[in-house]
Amino acid sequence: MNNTIRFAVAAAAALGLTTVASAQTVEGLLGRVPESANFVAVVNNGAMLQTPRAVREGWSKMREFEYLAGAIPVPPSVPLAVMGSQIDSGELTGSWALAAFVSNRGIVMKDLAEREGGRVEMMFDYPVAITPRFGYMIQLVDNVYGAMANTSRQEFSRWVKTKGNSRTPKVNDYLKQVMSDAKDHHVAVAIDLDELVDPAALRVRLSTLKCLAGKSKEEIAALQKLLAGVKGVRITVKVGDTSRTAVRLDFSHEIGDSKDLLKPCLDEIVGAMGAAIDEFAKADWRFESKSAVLQADLSDGSLARLMTIALMPMHATDAAPVGSSAGEAQLIATRRYYRAI
């Protein structure tokens, strides 16, 4: 997860003093995500911390980096968080990133800004904390807060004005499925990839794959058509002694005979990224007409690796807010470079 959002919710947890009750829902928080988003993620931390394993291991008393090896990057005092981003065409990086989250502790923007070496500005008669580590942060209503990174003051203020108090989700129908996915899972991610894949770049990439050696032009063409027409990816995680994880790939075209090439080629592509997950080698695959679903029980380490990949659109969004010093900008650039390595 983007450190921008991680630091925002972590700082909120550390600074709050007043406990308040939460009545927010996934639907309500998702309504605060701009309709231009093509990536959303939901972390139902409150439900996860009530699982037998969490109770047994005392997760509610840990920092967010400790339980599940940091795979779930939300502190215990944030029971529910919804994140959104807009993926830039051609690569899975976010042009902006935001989080709307519920905090069990009240947050004083002045204290947050002082702690993080930032400042406070007034927008719409409300204080906004602006810091080099998480960008802009505001209390939206009651115990609901919003943080937005890699954005200008104008863009942030327009988001607060138009979406900050929205309750009805305006994201597209594919992303809205995250609401039903989140009902029975602790983590749900949806990425809309419709028309995002460049066919020419895909053709070049497929030409390098060993899994296609000896395959006919017709077989390769069918796979290329399938992958070029990918509609999106949905990931769900339910935490127990292991983390039951499902990855669903949805396509515009029938999978047909390409199912025999889909698994080995995806394994090779992921492996080349250095992101292979051991348990997926023995995962249960299920093929539907236009979807492929793989399920596996992941260790904490494997889940952390998957979440790093799944939340990639939230990376590369660490940009200093307008008005930050050159030193702050350099610090953020250095942190981004470090994470990339």
Side-chain angles (χ1 to χ4, degrees):
M1 177 183 180
N2 176 12
N3 275 2
T4 295
I5 306 303
R6 183 195 297 272
F7 286 129
V9 291
L15 289 171
L17 296 176
T18 305
T19 300
V20 291
S22 169
Q24 292 297 331
T25 63
V26 172
E27 182 178 8
L29 294 180
L30 186 62
R32 304 175 193 277
V33 177
E35 47 266 51
S36 60
N38 48 17
F39 164 92
V40 293
V42 177
V43 178
N44 191 340
N45 215 26
M48 184 173 62
L49 294 178
Q50 295 177 23
T51 61
R53 180 185 174 190
V55 173
R56 183 173 66 248
E57 297 180 3
W59 289 1
S60 62
K61 298 179 182 179
M62 296 180 180
R63 296 174 299 173
E64 76 276 15
F65 294 108
E66 294 176 339
Y67 65 88
L68 278 183
I72 307 300
V74 178
S77 57
V78 174
L80 183 64
V82 171
M83 293 157 279
S85 184
Q86 183 178 21
I87 302 172
D88 290 331
S89 178
E91 55 181 314
L92 292 182
T93 56
S95 58
W96 53 259
L98 66 84
F101 60 94
V102 178
S103 175
N104 281 337
R105 300 176 178 180
I107 305 167
V108 179
M109 294 298 146
K110 180 176 180 293
D111 294 344
L112 178 61
E114 289 179 353
R115 180 187 179 98
E116 297 296 322
R119 65 186 188 276
V120 173
E121 291 185 3
M122 300 301 293
M123 291 186 187
F124 315 111
D125 296 326
Y126 290 95
V128 174
I130 306 174
T131 78
R133 289 212 286 178
F134 66 81
Y136 295 84
M137 182 172 168
I138 191 172
Q139 182 176 6
L140 296 172
V141 60
D142 298 329
N143 57 335
V144 178
Y145 299 82
M148 193 170 191
N150 200 37
T151 187
S152 66
R153 185 184 192 281
Q154 183 182 58
E155 188 174 24
F156 176 75
S157 65
R158 287 177 176 173
W159 170 67
V160 173
K161 186 187 300 182
T162 60
K163 300 299 296 181
N165 289 315
S166 175
R167 294 293 186 276
T168 304
K170 298 296 184 182
V171 296
N172 64 46
D173 289 340
Y174 190 85
L175 297 184
K176 286 180 182 177
Q177 294 178 97
V178 79
M179 291 188 292
S180 59
D181 288 343
K183 288 181 179 178
D184 300 315
H185 299 90
H186 300 118
V187 179
V189 177
I191 308 174
D192 173 18
L193 299 176
D194 190 33
E195 298 297 337
L196 189 70
V197 176
D198 182 347
L202 175 63
R203 182 166 54 252
V204 172
R205 184 71 184 89
L206 292 182
S207 68
T208 68
L209 298 183
K210 296 178 180 179
C211 61
L212 296 179
K215 302 301 179 182
S216 67
K217 292 183 179 180
E218 292 75 17
E219 290 175 305
I220 296 175
L223 180 63
Q224 180 181 333
K225 179 181 178 180
L226 179 68
L227 294 177
V230 63
K231 292 179 61 178
V233 178
R234 289 156 57 194
I235 301 172
T236 56
V237 179
K238 190 166 186 177
V239 175
D241 288 335
T242 59
S243 298
R244 186 61 174 172
T245 302
V247 179
R248 180 185 185 93
L249 296 93
D250 297 307
F251 302 95
S252 301
H253 307 290
E254 299 278 346
I255 295 177
D257 293 337
S258 292
K259 67 180 182 181
D260 295 330
L261 293 176
L262 194 58
K263 180 183 183 301
C265 288
L266 289 178
D267 285 344
E268 185 174 343
I269 292 172
V270 172
M273 295 169 57
I277 295 172
D278 293 340
E279 292 90 338
F280 280 167
K282 299 180 180 179
D284 298 321
W285 281 71
R286 183 179 80 253
F287 291 95
E288 301 172 4
S289 175
K290 297 182 179 181
S291 299
V293 184
L294 60 153
Q295 292 184 314
D297 292 312
L298 302 187
S299 66
D300 292 354
S302 292
L303 179 62
R305 179 171 293 183
L306 176 65
M307 287 296 98
T308 297
I309 302 170
L311 298 176
M312 192 179 296
M314 303 296 286
H315 300 174
T317 53
D318 279 352
V322 174
S324 296
S325 68
E328 290 171 345
Q330 180 62 40
L331 174 63
I332 290 169
T334 301
R335 186 166 62 243
R336 184 190 308 127
Y337 175 71
Y338 175 79
R339 282 208 313 273
I341 294 176

